[in-house]
Amino acid sequence: MNDTRLPELSPGDRNAVRALYRRALEGWNLRDGSAFAGPFAADGEVIGFDGTRHSGRSVMAAELGRIFTDHATPEYVAKVRRVRALGPGVAQLDAVAGLVPDDAEDPDPALNAVQTVIAVNAGAGWRIALLQNTPARYDLRPDLAQALTAELRGLTGQGPGPE
């Protein structure tokens, strides 16, 4: 059996992918649809916590702008777990994230998520192709849910993308 290893990302590429993720979450925290969508490729996609898919940077900016206007959205705190290459010019970022409601100091455990970003660099710099949110409920492992909440609580006040 042939064990094919994935290529390594350079430190600069790894940092660029982390920065894209941080910029998207900062845009969310600013409640600015255009700032959130800015790091995405023109045909990028985001799949929200509720499963809603927004395809295309302009659609994403408009829809999130509408959401930010009509709803109070909590702020993100997040921690990048890993950034790895999937192939030439393709990277995957894995993170955990929590949302801190305006009237709270800590993330709401019901809103904890595992996030995956697929980023691409087709020669013009890194862009987000996909950001996928998955609720981190850990149905049969309440210990994991509690540990994640405690970890995210420790990030409160540090911004959306500590390493």
Side-chain angles (χ1 to χ4, degrees), residues 136-148:
R137 294 185 354 202
Y138 302 110
D139 292 334
L140 300 177
R141 294 292 310 268
D143 56 316
L144 294 178
Q146 291 167 356
L148 178 57

PDB file of all heavy atoms in Angstrom, residues 136-148:
ATOM      1  N   ALA A 136     -21.279  22.111  18.015  1.00  0.00           N
ATOM      2  CA  ALA A 136     -20.435  21.229  18.831  1.00  0.00           C
ATOM      3  C   ALA A 136     -21.256  20.755  20.030  1.00  0.00           C
ATOM      4  O   ALA A 136     -21.035  21.172  21.161  1.00  0.00           O
ATOM      5  CB  ALA A 136     -19.170  21.952  19.270  1.00  0.00           C
ATOM      6  N   ARG A 137     -22.211  19.884  19.752  1.00  0.00           N
ATOM      7  CA  ARG A 137     -23.104  19.410  20.823  1.00  0.00           C
ATOM      8  C   ARG A 137     -22.526  18.243  21.592  1.00  0.00           C
ATOM      9  O   ARG A 137     -22.834  18.081  22.757  1.00  0.00           O
ATOM     10  CB  ARG A 137     -24.454  19.021  20.230  1.00  0.00           C
ATOM     11  CG  ARG A 137     -25.197  20.212  19.672  1.00  0.00           C
ATOM     12  CD  ARG A 137     -26.569  19.912  19.188  1.00  0.00           C
ATOM     13  NE  ARG A 137     -26.930  18.510  19.192  1.00  0.00           N
ATOM     14  CZ  ARG A 137     -27.881  17.987  18.445  1.00  0.00           C
ATOM     15  NH1 ARG A 137     -28.552  18.755  17.631  1.00  0.00           N
ATOM     16  NH2 ARG A 137     -28.161  16.709  18.491  1.00  0.00           N
ATOM     17  N   TYR A 138     -21.749  17.406  20.926  1.00  0.00           N
ATOM     18  CA  TYR A 138     -21.153  16.234  21.573  1.00  0.00           C
ATOM     19  C   TYR A 138     -22.211  15.468  22.371  1.00  0.00           C
ATOM     20  O   TYR A 138     -22.080  15.242  23.571  1.00  0.00           O
ATOM     21  CB  TYR A 138     -19.982  16.632  22.482  1.00  0.00           C
ATOM     22  CG  TYR A 138     -18.873  17.366  21.768  1.00  0.00           C
ATOM     23  CD1 TYR A 138     -18.641  18.719  22.001  1.00  0.00           C
ATOM     24  CD2 TYR A 138     -18.068  16.714  20.853  1.00  0.00           C
ATOM     25  CE1 TYR A 138     -17.629  19.393  21.344  1.00  0.00           C
ATOM     26  CE2 TYR A 138     -17.038  17.381  20.188  1.00  0.00           C
ATOM     27  CZ  TYR A 138     -16.826  18.725  20.451  1.00  0.00           C
ATOM     28  OH  TYR A 138     -15.824  19.392  19.803  1.00  0.00           O
ATOM     29  N   ASP A 139     -23.274  15.067  21.694  1.00  0.00           N
ATOM     30  CA  ASP A 139     -24.452  14.472  22.338  1.00  0.00           C
ATOM     31  C   ASP A 139     -24.144  13.375  23.353  1.00  0.00           C
ATOM     32  O   ASP A 139     -24.745  13.334  24.414  1.00  0.00           O
ATOM     33  CB  ASP A 139     -25.413  13.923  21.282  1.00  0.00           C
ATOM     34  CG  ASP A 139     -26.058  15.018  20.464  1.00  0.00           C
ATOM     35  OD1 ASP A 139     -26.178  16.150  20.971  1.00  0.00           O
ATOM     36  OD2 ASP A 139     -26.443  14.749  19.315  1.00  0.00           O
ATOM     37  N   LEU A 140     -23.234  12.479  23.019  1.00  0.00           N
ATOM     38  CA  LEU A 140     -22.951  11.363  23.920  1.00  0.00           C
ATOM     39  C   LEU A 140     -21.700  11.586  24.764  1.00  0.00           C
ATOM     40  O   LEU A 140     -21.260  10.685  25.475  1.00  0.00           O
ATOM     41  CB  LEU A 140     -22.825  10.062  23.120  1.00  0.00           C
ATOM     42  CG  LEU A 140     -24.075   9.677  22.327  1.00  0.00           C
ATOM     43  CD1 LEU A 140     -23.827   8.420  21.516  1.00  0.00           C
ATOM     44  CD2 LEU A 140     -25.277   9.505  23.251  1.00  0.00           C
ATOM     45  N   ARG A 141     -21.129  12.789  24.678  1.00  0.00           N
ATOM     46  CA  ARG A 141     -19.907  13.107  25.422  1.00  0.00           C
ATOM     47  C   ARG A 141     -20.031  14.468  26.094  1.00  0.00           C
ATOM     48  O   ARG A 141     -19.383  15.436  25.708  1.00  0.00           O
ATOM     49  CB  ARG A 141     -18.699  13.107  24.483  1.00  0.00           C
ATOM     50  CG  ARG A 141     -18.305  11.788  23.861  1.00  0.00           C
ATOM     51  CD  ARG A 141     -17.757  10.781  24.874  1.00  0.00           C
ATOM     52  NE  ARG A 141     -16.711  11.291  25.742  1.00  0.00           N
ATOM     53  CZ  ARG A 141     -15.403  11.210  25.478  1.00  0.00           C
ATOM     54  NH1 ARG A 141     -14.982  10.653  24.369  1.00  0.00           N
ATOM     55  NH2 ARG A 141     -14.524  11.689  26.327  1.00  0.00           N
ATOM     56  N   PRO A 142     -20.871  14.580  27.127  1.00  0.00           N
ATOM     57  CA  PRO A 142     -21.033  15.881  27.796  1.00  0.00           C
ATOM     58  C   PRO A 142     -19.718  16.408  28.368  1.00  0.00           C
ATOM     59  O   PRO A 142     -19.551  17.624  28.486  1.00  0.00           O
ATOM     60  CB  PRO A 142     -22.055  15.601  28.891  1.00  0.00           C
ATOM     61  CG  PRO A 142     -22.096  14.127  29.053  1.00  0.00           C
ATOM     62  CD  PRO A 142     -21.675  13.535  27.738  1.00  0.00           C
ATOM     63  N   ASP A 143     -18.772  15.513  28.675  1.00  0.00           N
ATOM     64  CA  ASP A 143     -17.473  15.953  29.168  1.00  0.00           C
ATOM     65  C   ASP A 143     -16.731  16.782  28.119  1.00  0.00           C
ATOM     66  O   ASP A 143     -16.088  17.782  28.444  1.00  0.00           O
ATOM     67  CB  ASP A 143     -16.625  14.759  29.615  1.00  0.00           C
ATOM     68  CG  ASP A 143     -16.430  13.719  28.513  1.00  0.00           C
ATOM     69  OD1 ASP A 143     -17.422  13.382  27.811  1.00  0.00           O
ATOM     70  OD2 ASP A 143     -15.291  13.220  28.357  1.00  0.00           O
ATOM     71  N   LEU A 144     -16.853  16.391  26.834  1.00  0.00           N
ATOM     72  CA  LEU A 144     -16.215  17.156  25.762  1.00  0.00           C
ATOM     73  C   LEU A 144     -16.883  18.516  25.587  1.00  0.00           C
ATOM     74  O   LEU A 144     -16.205  19.525  25.358  1.00  0.00           O
ATOM     75  CB  LEU A 144     -16.252  16.375  24.451  1.00  0.00           C
ATOM     76  CG  LEU A 144     -15.428  15.090  24.399  1.00  0.00           C
ATOM     77  CD1 LEU A 144     -15.605  14.406  23.046  1.00  0.00           C
ATOM     78  CD2 LEU A 144     -13.965  15.370  24.680  1.00  0.00           C
ATOM     79  N   ALA A 145     -18.199  18.557  25.697  1.00  0.00           N
ATOM     80  CA  ALA A 145     -18.926  19.825  25.584  1.00  0.00           C
ATOM     81  C   ALA A 145     -18.508  20.775  26.707  1.00  0.00           C
ATOM     82  O   ALA A 145     -18.268  21.969  26.468  1.00  0.00           O
ATOM     83  CB  ALA A 145     -20.431  19.576  25.613  1.00  0.00           C
ATOM     84  N   GLN A 146     -18.393  20.257  27.909  1.00  0.00           N
ATOM     85  CA  GLN A 146     -17.998  21.089  29.050  1.00  0.00           C
ATOM     86  C   GLN A 146     -16.556  21.573  28.903  1.00  0.00           C
ATOM     87  O   GLN A 146     -16.247  22.733  29.208  1.00  0.00           O
ATOM     88  CB  GLN A 146     -18.174  20.316  30.349  1.00  0.00           C
ATOM     89  CG  GLN A 146     -19.627  20.062  30.689  1.00  0.00           C
ATOM     90  CD  GLN A 146     -19.808  19.040  31.809  1.00  0.00           C
ATOM     91  OE1 GLN A 146     -18.850  18.446  32.298  1.00  0.00           O
ATOM     92  NE2 GLN A 146     -21.062  18.834  32.197  1.00  0.00           N
ATOM     93  N   ALA A 147     -15.679  20.696  28.441  1.00  0.00           N
ATOM     94  CA  ALA A 147     -14.280  21.087  28.252  1.00  0.00           C
ATOM     95  C   ALA A 147     -14.151  22.174  27.187  1.00  0.00           C
ATOM     96  O   ALA A 147     -13.374  23.128  27.351  1.00  0.00           O
ATOM     97  CB  ALA A 147     -13.429  19.868  27.881  1.00  0.00           C
ATOM     98  N   LEU A 148     -14.901  22.049  26.093  1.00  0.00           N
ATOM     99  CA  LEU A 148     -14.849  23.065  25.047  1.00  0.00           C
ATOM    100  C   LEU A 148     -15.365  24.398  25.570  1.00  0.00           C
ATOM    101  O   LEU A 148     -14.761  25.445  25.328  1.00  0.00           O
ATOM    102  CB  LEU A 148     -15.645  22.633  23.810  1.00  0.00           C
ATOM    103  CG  LEU A 148     -15.691  23.654  22.676  1.00  0.00           C
ATOM    104  CD1 LEU A 148     -14.294  24.048  22.208  1.00  0.00           C
ATOM    105  CD2 LEU A 148     -16.519  23.119  21.523  1.00  0.00           C
TER     106      LEU A 148
END
